[in-house]
């Protein structure tokens, strides 16, 4: 993940992919903008989505679709004050594991 992990790394990936306004809506106050499964695959990378899908025992498209429904609300809840915590929230592996656990429920 380019040395950037956790929540800050995910936010940076969205910004680099031209979706800073979308992820900004999740972090900030107000309504969360939607994201598509294809957009998530572009942001996180096909390899990451394939690994997550394999762990969940579902297709990459299904995993991306479910993640697109969960991620906006999750990031919104992790940033209650409208910004990412200064200390971060673990690394990308921790967050992907958390997301995998949510998708399995």
């Amino acid at each position: 993940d380019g040395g950037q992990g956790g929540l800050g790394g995910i936010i940076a990936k969205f910004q680099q992919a031209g979706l800073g306004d979308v992820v900004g809506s999740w972090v900030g106050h107000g309504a969360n903008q939607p994201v598509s499964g294809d957009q998530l695959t572009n942001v996180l990378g096909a390899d990451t989505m394939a690994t997550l899908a394999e762990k969940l025992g579902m297709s990459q498209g299904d995993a991306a679709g479910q993640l697109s429904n969960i991620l906006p609300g999750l990031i919104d809840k992790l940033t209650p004050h409208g910004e990412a915590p200064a200390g971060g929230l673990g690394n990308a592996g921790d967050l992907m594991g958390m997301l995998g656990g949510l998708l399995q429920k």
Side-chain angles (χ1 to χ4, degrees), residues 10 44 48-49 52 67 91-101:
I10 290 176
L44 300 176
T48 299
M49 289 307 302
L52 182 61
L67 185 57
N91 61 41
D94 293 340
L95 286 176
M96 293 312 287
M98 181 189 321
L99 291 170

Side-chain angles (χ1 to χ4, degrees), residues 9-103:
I10 290 176
I11 291 170
K13 287 178 185 236
F14 272 87
Q15 291 168 336
Q16 291 165 0
L19 296 172
D21 58 334
V22 173
V23 75
S25 75
W26 306 346
V27 173
H29 302 289
N32 293 333
Q33 292 183 28
V35 65
S36 72
D38 288 340
Q39 287 172 313
L40 275 181
T41 299
N42 289 337
V43 169
L44 300 176
D47 290 344
T48 299
M49 289 307 302
T51 300
L52 182 61
E54 184 178 329
K55 287 181 181 178
L56 297 172
M58 61 178 64
S59 74
Q60 188 171 327
D62 287 346
Q66 288 190 29
L67 185 57
S68 72
N69 289 326
I70 293 172
L71 192 60
L74 177 63
I75 290 181
D76 187 41
K77 296 238 182 306
L78 292 173
T79 56
H81 302 293
E83 58 186 46
L89 291 168
N91 61 41
D94 293 340
L95 286 176
M96 293 312 287
M98 181 189 321
L99 291 170
L102 289 172
L103 289 174

